[in-house]
Amino acid sequence: MRSRISHMAFDSTLRLGVLGGGQLGRMLIQSAIDFNLQVHILDPDKNAPCKDIATTFTVGPLTDYDTVMAFGADKDVITIEIENVNTAALKALEAQGKRVFPQPHIIELIQNKLHQKQFYLEHGIPTAEFIETANAEEVKSKSDFLPFVNKLATEGYDGRGVQVIKTEADLAKAFDKPGFVEKMVDFEKELAVIVAKNENGDITTFPTVEMVFHPVHNLVEYLISPAAITQEIEEKAQSLAKEVINKLDMVGLLAIEMFLTKDGRVLVNEVAPRTHNSGHQTIEGNVTSQFEQHLRAIMNWPLGDTDTLRPAAMVNLLGEDGFTGEAKYEGMDKVLSKAGVHVHLYGKKLTKPFRKMGHATISDTNIDLLKEKIKFVKDTLKIKA
Amino acid sequence: MRSRISHMAFDSTLRLGVLGGGQLGRMLIQSAIDFNLQVHILDPDKNAPCKDIATTFTVGPLTDYDTVMAFGADKDVITIEIENVNTAALKALEAQGKRVFPQPHIIELIQNKLHQKQFYLEHGIPTAEFIETANAEEVKSKSDFLPFVNKLATEGYDGRGVQVIKTEADLAKAFDKPGFVEKMVDFEKELAVIVAKNENGDITTFPTVEMVFHPVHNLVEYLISPAAITQEIEEKAQSLAKEVINKLDMVGLLAIEMFLTKDGRVLVNEVAPRTHNSGHQTIEGNVTSQFEQHLRAIMNWPLGDTDTLRPAAMVNLLGEDGFTGEAKYEGMDKVLSKAGVHVHLYGKKLTKPFRKMGHATISDTNIDLLKEKIKFVKDTLKIKA
């Protein structure tokens, strides 16, 4: 860890490189334009959402050492929008004196879900109880720990490598690779806090948000900010977020998913060292967006005010089941006619079932009206082919 | 005027062409990214602010018929970010069935300040009294009309072609080209209202903003939204804005600069049929920004809610006098440390005295704190070379 330094002089000629050119990179670029920052993107997909708006767009695998080294060679500051990157290359670039945030050793730690859990345990960060497992046999031997979630240590991106084991019968599907089993948390709510830290040591959190589940289907329906929680829980969540970024000694933006248990404890579930789906509503709902905050953190500028402007909800816009092909947006005009609805499309030409094609932020000073509008947007806007 | 049609189906494959690629185009593109709209730019300057972020960027004169025709050939919707364009070409493109908004005949009307004034007179729109003048001799013969402003009918861009004639001695500098003399208005405040209209006939205004003058230097210091005016004046200004766009029968965004006279009348000063400096604070201060509203209007989508989120001020960031060359931003870190300050740099590499290099929006729920922050930003952020 380099010693703390004061804020960096503003210099818009610095070259910022981003590993990953998806929707998170796209919204980062929209914000970077305000600061006249050049944003250079590396992504394996030649049609990635950033391709038309990046200062330069390079196609190549993020997990390949030589590709990342070559991309980083002429950059001053390097960051990520996805964790699945070659950290050995990032460490080598860091050793060359480049500013790489989040720091590569933290990306590496977070890439491994088992190491992440062990870190919480070692540092007294509250998290669900877990037991390391080397293979399927070890998972199967944990029947007295049921119900639990079986997670792979690595390869667990985009919801893969995670499965719920409720009964002895479920044990048959145990993962046969290193990972762990985690006690199922009987939670009251799922919360998330985004926290930022710069090299100067400034730390700022966004208000806690809440993932709201469908009462019947038990799936996340939307995210709402701020969360409907007591002041005491809010303070607990905020202070936990600061504790995690401080104990990691991380520079950048960190999204922390949390469980609020039925007995009022707040546990860390998982973290992501980057901008995150749970912070999209900050673009319209807060004084500073998570994207601007990420830039401020990695550039070592002062962090922005995170106050809420209006209660806001975020709904993911997913490709409709049963449709694959060139995306068509049904019901968009009806959705745009509702006050306080903002649509963010990610520039993906092709839709497929459940593909994240965009999101809508819905804001309203009246929570009941806000909830009506959420339902309207979900029922009305359909992405088909 | 084509007959009114219902809202246009949302189609992000439509090709939008914009004449002009300055800061207004740049902020329009930032907004268009949300809708996954392709934005193609034509600008005479190869280093114009839009060059790196436009889908395509074409260099060429906006006033040349063939250049505009060639640029428009493969576009579906065409708009402007500056009035000084070839309207004959736009009319020909419109005749080909392309959607050109604002309509070319309205751009043409507004290009000529005398015709603009005559339009107000013919349509009963309150404006300062004026007399047409063909040459300097005619201006000089109007000494009983003093004090007045002498304006050229055309060629009056960027503050050129406008001068104050206070005394008989000043008459010596009268313009020797067609134009008019306009009675000096002893105004209480200068106000502005941005109004939008789509083909469907929906009309929405933004809250009235106020240009605040320095008490000693008599120059615009900053713009504040909403204006500190009575509800009665607010309604008068809003209704006047709607009257103007309706009487023009214009589709698009129209910025209307107004005088509030000391006896409580609201007069139209000048209009611009596009996004405008007086609407920049809408990006952070209002539910929908003027840039998104412009897109919604010209695409015939429903117009967005214009409610104020927080009182906001806009300060232009001008190149410091005495400095020409590559821009350096002094004091940026101090400015970014103030809650609610957002900086928008326009991507101009070179600064020169008083060049518009960017703007800052400052928002605060407390008007006194807001005013302190405005002063701080103006005193602290300096653009030098």
Side-chain angles (χ1 to χ4, degrees):
Chain A
M1 173 67 192
R2 65 178 80 188
S3 61
R4 286 186 178 173
I5 61 170
S6 56
H7 293 141
M8 196 156 89
F10 182 85
D11 178 0
S12 61
T13 66
L14 288 173
R15 292 167 63 87
L16 173 61
V18 183
L19 302 189
Q23 57 262 25
L24 301 176
R26 186 173 163 98
M27 290 183 272
L28 190 76
I29 291 173
Q30 279 176 289
S31 178
I33 293 169
D34 288 341
F35 296 108
N36 196 22
L37 270 179
Q38 297 176 56
V39 183
H40 303 270
I41 298 281
L42 177 67
D43 196 279
D45 177 2
K46 67 176 170 48
N47 291 315
C50 289
K51 88 175 150 72
D52 286 333
I53 60 171
T55 308
T56 66
F57 181 77
T58 306
V59 178
L62 307 178
T63 49
D64 179 62
Y65 182 87
D66 291 337
T67 304
V68 173
M69 286 305 287
F71 175 74
D74 62 352
K75 306 301 181 296
D76 302 297
V77 184
I78 298 160
T79 192
I80 59 166
E81 60 115 60
I82 183 169
E83 296 91 297
N84 193 13
V85 298
N86 191 296
T87 52
L90 289 179
K91 283 179 182 176
L93 291 165
E94 189 182 44
Q96 287 175 12
K98 294 186 185 294
R99 302 159 55 82
V100 185
F101 299 116
Q103 301 95 318
H105 71 276
I106 293 171
I107 302 173
E108 199 171 63
L109 171 72
I110 291 171
Q111 281 176 342
N112 186 305
K113 287 188 182 175
L114 176 62
H115 294 170
Q116 217 187 110
K117 291 291 283 189
Q118 287 166 337
F119 180 88
Y120 303 146
L121 196 65
E122 284 158 21
H123 289 82
I125 295 167
T127 189
E129 201 184 337
F130 70 101
I131 307 169
E132 184 176 347
T133 51
N135 50 41
E137 202 187 340
E138 287 194 17
V139 175
K140 287 173 187 165
S141 71
K142 302 296 178 295
S143 61
D144 52 347
F145 199 64
L146 284 169
F148 57 69
V149 184
N150 184 195
K151 294 185 179 178
L152 290 180
T154 56
E155 301 165 52
Y157 295 101
D158 293 333
R160 290 190 298 271
V162 174
Q163 59 180 348
V164 173
I165 308 281
K166 283 193 180 165
T167 64
E168 302 234 355
D170 288 346
L171 285 170
K173 61 179 179 177
F175 289 132
D176 197 20
K177 280 187 179 174
F180 57 97
V181 295
E182 183 179 69
K183 197 81 189 159
M184 277 272 271
V185 177
D186 187 20
F187 61 83
E188 174 77 26
K189 287 175 187 284
E190 269 203 72
L191 307 175
V193 177
I194 290 178
V195 58
K197 187 178 170 190
N198 62 17
E199 281 183 280
N200 189 48
D202 307 335
I203 294 187
T204 310
T205 53
F206 282 89
T208 306
V209 302
E210 177 180 350
M211 264 64 80
V212 180
F213 284 74
H214 188 284
V216 178
H217 302 121
N218 202 36
L219 287 170
V220 175
E221 270 219 282
Y222 58 88
L223 175 149
I224 198 161
S225 170
I229 50 178
T230 63
Q231 186 57 32
E232 188 198 339
I233 298 297
E234 174 72 24
E235 281 164 18
K236 221 182 251 191
Q238 297 288 314
S239 121
L240 182 55
K242 289 178 188 166
E243 184 186 342
V244 174
I245 203 165
N246 269 328
K247 287 183 170 167
L248 285 169
D249 208 354
M250 183 190 131
V251 168
L253 200 77
L254 185 71
I256 305 174
E257 294 181 276
M258 303 174 181
F259 293 122
L260 169 61
T261 66
K262 291 193 171 159
D263 56 354
R265 288 173 304 137
V266 180
L267 308 177
V268 170
N269 179 17
E270 282 184 16
V271 304
R274 53 169 169 79
T275 56
H276 192 257
N277 202 244
S278 65
H280 289 352
Q281 78 296 334
T282 58
I283 298 174
E284 287 87 9
N286 296 72
V287 175
T288 304
S289 79
Q290 67 164 341
F291 299 98
E292 178 167 335
Q293 197 76 311
H294 182 68
L295 291 174
R296 287 173 178 246
I298 63 173
M299 301 306 285
N300 199 24
W301 298 336
L303 299 176
D305 179 23
T306 60
D307 271 9
T308 300
L309 292 168
R310 280 194 176 180
M314 195 282 302
V315 174
N316 286 314
L317 302 176
L318 307 177
E320 198 74 5
D321 196 10
F323 296 87
T324 299
E326 209 157 308
K328 304 263 179 297
Y329 299 86
E330 239 182 64
M332 183 68 92
D333 57 334
K334 290 188 186 72
V335 159
L336 290 179
S337 72
K338 289 280 172 194
V341 174
H342 283 273
V343 165
H344 295 259
L345 300 184
Y346 297 158
K348 298 175 183 173
K349 200 170 175 177
L350 302 178
T351 184
K352 53 189 181 187
F354 308 112
R355 185 176 196 199
K356 258 188 216 171
M357 300 297 287
H359 74 265
T361 304
I362 307 149
S363 67
D364 204 299
T365 47
N366 177 312
I367 295 286
D368 292 329
L369 285 179
L370 179 57
K371 290 186 174 168
E372 272 177 34
K373 285 182 190 171
I374 294 166
K375 184 170 168 9
F376 180 81
V377 169
K378 290 181 71 76
D379 292 349
T380 308
L381 188 56
K382 303 286 175 198
I383 305 175
K384 300 182 175 173
Chain B
M1 173 71 192
R2 63 178 82 190
S3 62
R4 285 186 178 172
I5 61 170
S6 56
H7 293 140
M8 197 155 88
F10 182 85
D11 179 358
S12 61
T13 66
L14 288 175
R15 294 167 62 87
L16 172 62
V18 183
L19 301 190
Q23 57 263 24
L24 301 177
R26 186 172 162 99
M27 291 183 271
L28 190 77
I29 291 173
Q30 280 176 289
S31 179
I33 293 170
D34 287 342
F35 296 108
N36 195 23
L37 271 180
Q38 297 176 56
V39 183
H40 303 270
I41 297 282
L42 176 66
D43 195 277
D45 176 3
K46 69 177 170 46
N47 292 315
C50 289
K51 89 177 149 70
D52 285 332
I53 60 171
T55 309
T56 65
F57 181 77
T58 306
V59 177
L62 307 177
T63 48
D64 179 63
Y65 182 88
D66 292 337
T67 304
V68 173
M69 286 305 287
F71 175 75
D74 62 352
K75 307 302 182 294
D76 302 298
V77 184
I78 298 161
T79 191
I80 59 165
E81 59 116 60
I82 184 169
E83 295 93 295
N84 193 13
V85 298
N86 190 298
T87 52
L90 289 178
K91 285 180 181 176
L93 291 165
E94 189 183 43
Q96 287 174 11
K98 296 189 184 289
R99 302 159 56 82
V100 184
F101 299 118
Q103 301 95 316
H105 71 275
I106 293 171
I107 301 173
E108 199 172 65
L109 171 72
I110 291 171
Q111 281 175 342
N112 187 307
K113 286 188 183 175
L114 175 64
H115 294 170
Q116 218 187 107
K117 290 291 283 189
Q118 288 166 336
F119 180 88
Y120 304 144
L121 195 65
E122 284 158 19
H123 290 80
I125 295 167
T127 190
E129 202 185 335
F130 69 100
I131 307 168
E132 184 176 347
T133 50
N135 50 41
E137 200 187 342
E138 287 196 17
V139 174
K140 288 175 190 165
S141 73
K142 301 295 176 300
S143 62
D144 53 346
F145 199 63
L146 284 171
F148 58 69
V149 184
N150 184 193
K151 295 184 179 179
L152 289 180
T154 57
E155 301 165 52
Y157 296 100
D158 293 331
R160 290 190 297 272
V162 175
Q163 59 182 346
V164 173
I165 308 282
K166 283 192 180 165
T167 63
E168 302 235 354
D170 289 345
L171 286 170
K173 60 180 181 178
F175 289 131
D176 198 21
K177 280 185 180 178
F180 57 96
V181 295
E182 184 181 67
K183 197 83 190 158
M184 277 272 271
V185 177
D186 187 19
F187 61 83
E188 175 77 28
K189 288 174 187 285
E190 268 201 74
L191 306 174
V193 176
I194 291 178
V195 57
K197 187 179 171 190
N198 62 18
E199 282 183 281
N200 189 47
D202 307 335
I203 294 187
T204 310
T205 52
F206 283 90
T208 306
V209 303
E210 177 180 348
M211 264 65 80
V212 179
F213 284 74
H214 188 284
V216 179
H217 302 121
N218 202 34
L219 287 170
V220 175
E221 269 220 280
Y222 58 87
L223 174 149
I224 198 162
S225 169
I229 50 177
T230 63
Q231 186 57 31
E232 188 199 340
I233 298 297
E234 175 70 25
E235 282 164 17
K236 220 183 250 189
Q238 297 287 314
S239 122
L240 182 54
K242 290 178 188 165
E243 184 186 343
V244 174
I245 203 166
N246 269 328
K247 286 183 170 167
L248 284 169
D249 208 353
M250 183 190 130
V251 168
L253 200 76
L254 184 71
I256 305 174
E257 295 182 276
M258 303 172 179
F259 294 121
L260 169 60
T261 65
K262 291 193 171 157
D263 56 352
R265 289 172 305 137
V266 179
L267 308 178
V268 170
N269 178 17
E270 282 184 18
V271 305
R274 52 166 170 82
T275 58
H276 193 258
N277 202 244
S278 65
H280 289 351
Q281 79 296 334
T282 58
I283 297 174
E284 287 86 11
N286 296 73
V287 174
T288 304
S289 79
Q290 67 163 341
F291 299 98
E292 178 167 335
Q293 196 75 313
H294 181 68
L295 291 173
R296 287 174 178 247
I298 63 173
M299 301 305 286
N300 198 24
W301 298 335
L303 299 177
D305 180 21
T306 59
D307 270 9
T308 300
L309 292 167
R310 280 194 176 179
M314 194 282 300
V315 174
N316 286 314
L317 301 177
L318 307 178
E320 198 73 4
D321 196 9
F323 296 88
T324 300
E326 210 158 307
K328 304 266 177 296
Y329 299 86
E330 240 181 64
M332 183 68 93
D333 56 334
K334 291 188 187 72
V335 159
L336 290 178
S337 72
K338 288 281 171 194
V341 173
H342 283 273
V343 165
H344 295 258
L345 300 184
Y346 297 157
K348 298 175 183 174
K349 201 170 174 177
L350 302 178
T351 184
K352 53 187 180 187
F354 309 112
R355 187 177 193 198
K356 259 188 213 170
M357 300 298 288
H359 75 265
T361 304
I362 307 150
S363 67
D364 204 298
T365 46
N366 178 312
I367 295 286
D368 292 329
L369 286 179
L370 179 58
K371 290 187 175 168
E372 273 176 34
K373 286 181 191 171
I374 294 166
K375 183 170 169 12
F376 180 81
V377 169
K378 289 181 71 78
D379 291 348
T380 308
L381 188 55
K382 302 287 173 195
I383 305 175
K384 299 182 177 175

